[in-house]
Amino acid sequence: AVVSTQSGHYGRDGHGAGDLWGGANHPLENSFATVGQDKVVYIWDAESHTPKQVFKVEKPAQACCFSPDGSVLAVASTTGEWWVLDSKNGLVLSSYKSGPEQIDAMSYSPDGKSIAVGSHDNYVYLFECGDIRAEYKAIGKCAGHSSFITHLDFSDDGKVLQTTSGDYEHLFWDATSGDQITSTKDMRDVNMSSYTCTLGFPVCGIWPVGYDGTDINALCRSHNDKLVVTADDFGLVNLFRFPCCNPTAEWSSFRGHSAHVTKVRFLLGDKEIFSLGGRDQSIIQWGVC
C-alpha cells in the first residue's frame, strides 16, 4: 500500500470569505498558487508554508493555472472574467471575458502556445498565445457538452483536449479548432500531458462502491505517471496507483479537512501533495512516502 503523511498545515495566513476551489502547482518550483472567492491570490512556498506573493483581483476567483514556464498565472472568476498575471508581481498583463458564468477549469497547452478555459455556460473557450505575456487571440469554442465544464487536460502534443462536465460526460476535442472528436477509439493511444479529469479508462477504478458522480471533486495524476490522488465530498484525500482501471483497486485515504475537499495537486518532484478545503478554506500539504 502507498503510505502518505501530513507534512504541513497552512493556518496563520490564508483566504477569507467564501469557498476555496482554485489551486495550481508551479511547473518549475516547489510552490503553488491558490485563488479564492475573497478575491485574493496567494503563491505559497511549499517548504516554509508561507506566502511568497499575495495579489488582489477584481472579482471572486474560482480557478487558476500556471504557464509551462511559470512566468504567468491565469486566474478565472465566478463571473466569466479571467486575467493573465505576472506571477512575480501580480501585474495584470491582459484580461478576458469568456461567457457570463463561473469558470471552473483552465489550462495552458504543454508548449504554452494556447490556453483552454472551461465555463459553466457549457463551452470551452480556446485562445492562441503567440506571446504568453501579450494579448491572446480567440481561436475557437468547444460546443457539445450539455452541462458545465468541470475539468480539462491537453494531450502531450497540445492537439487534443479532454473535458468532463457536470452531467458526467467525458469528451474529446481538436484543440486547434474546437471540433469534437467523436471516435473515442482514436483517442486510445493519446497521452495526456496532465490528467485531472475524473472520468476515463485510466481512472475508472477511483470510484468506490456507493459514490455517485458528484462525490469526487478533483483528481491529479503524478508527474511520473505512477500515482493518482483524488479529493472527495467526505473530507478525504485518496491515493491510488496509476493507472487505476480496476473497480476493486486498493487505495489509502487520509483525513485532515472538516468539509468537502475541492482540489488536489502533486507538487514538483511528486514527493508532496497539496489539498484545498472548500468550506473550511484550509490548505494542507501531504508528504508521499
Side-chain angles (χ1 to χ4, degrees):
V2 179
V3 178
S4 177
T5 57
Q6 183 177 331
S7 67
H9 186 251
Y10 294 68
R12 290 173 298 174
D13 303 289
H15 291 276
D19 280 11
L20 178 60
W21 284 85
N25 56 295
H26 195 288
L28 303 177
E29 299 175 3
N30 190 27
S31 62
F32 61 94
T34 59
V35 301
Q37 294 177 4
D38 58 359
K39 307 179 187 179
V40 181
V41 178
Y42 285 93
I43 298 180
W44 301 91
D45 184 307
E47 185 173 348
S48 66
H49 308 160
T50 57
K52 296 172 66 175
Q53 284 92 25
V54 183
F55 314 133
K56 279 275 194 177
V57 290
E58 296 176 359
K59 300 289 180 69
Q62 185 74 11
C64 64
C65 66
F66 280 102
S67 60
D69 65 1
S71 65
V72 304
L73 178 72
V75 178
S77 73
T78 58
T79 52
E81 290 92 349
W82 58 280
W83 309 272
V84 179
L85 309 181
D86 185 303
S87 64
K88 295 298 184 185
N89 57 29
L91 178 67
V92 178
L93 303 173
S94 57
S95 60
Y96 308 89
K97 174 84 170 177
S98 293
E101 299 187 41
Q102 178 171 298
I103 294 168
D104 278 337
M106 60 193 322
S107 177
Y108 282 95
S109 61
D111 61 6
K113 294 183 178 179
S114 60
I115 187 171
V117 179
S119 172
H120 265 235
D121 66 5
N122 306 352
Y123 297 117
V124 178
Y125 297 84
L126 302 174
F127 292 80
E128 184 181 81
C129 317
D131 179 348
I132 210 161
R133 300 177 65 84
E135 198 73 19
Y136 298 171
K137 176 185 176 183
I139 58 173
K141 184 167 71 172
C142 303
H145 276 293
S146 51
S147 186
F148 59 90
I149 311 304
T150 54
H151 309 284
L152 56 83
D153 300 289
F154 278 95
S155 60
D156 280 343
D157 60 9
K159 295 180 179 179
V160 174
L161 193 68
Q162 70 167 355
T163 57
T164 53
S165 59
D167 59 353
Y168 327 126
E169 281 185 314
H170 180 214
L171 301 181
F172 294 91
W173 313 86
D174 183 327
T176 63
S177 66
D179 295 335
Q180 186 177 347
I181 301 170
T182 56
S183 177
T184 54
K185 68 178 182 179
D186 295 338
M187 300 294 99
R188 192 174 301 163
D189 297 323
V190 173
N191 293 318
M192 307 311 294
S193 177
S194 62
Y195 210 110
T196 62
C197 287
T198 55
L199 300 173
F201 181 72
V203 297
C204 62
I206 66 164
W207 295 90
V209 174
Y211 274 46
D212 66 28
T214 65
D215 287 333
I216 295 179
N217 298 315
L219 175 148
C220 184
R221 182 192 66 193
S222 62
H223 302 92
N224 62 13
D225 298 349
K226 293 182 178 180
L227 299 172
V228 62
V229 63
T230 67
D232 69 27
D233 267 352
F234 309 107
L236 296 175
V237 171
N238 309 292
L239 200 58
F240 301 80
R241 297 193 184 279
F242 184 88
C244 185
C245 313
N246 189 331
T248 61
E250 294 183 352
W251 76 94
S252 299
S253 295
F254 308 96
R255 185 177 297 278
H257 295 279
S258 63
H260 57 290
V261 187
T262 58
K263 187 76 67 179
V264 279
R265 290 292 184 265
F266 280 92
L267 292 170
L268 187 69
D270 295 328
K271 298 296 185 183
E272 293 178 308
I273 296 164
F274 76 86
S275 60
L276 307 182
R279 195 168 298 115
D280 66 15
Q281 303 166 350
S282 64
I283 305 168
I284 299 178
Q285 194 170 318
W286 310 82
V288 181
C289 52

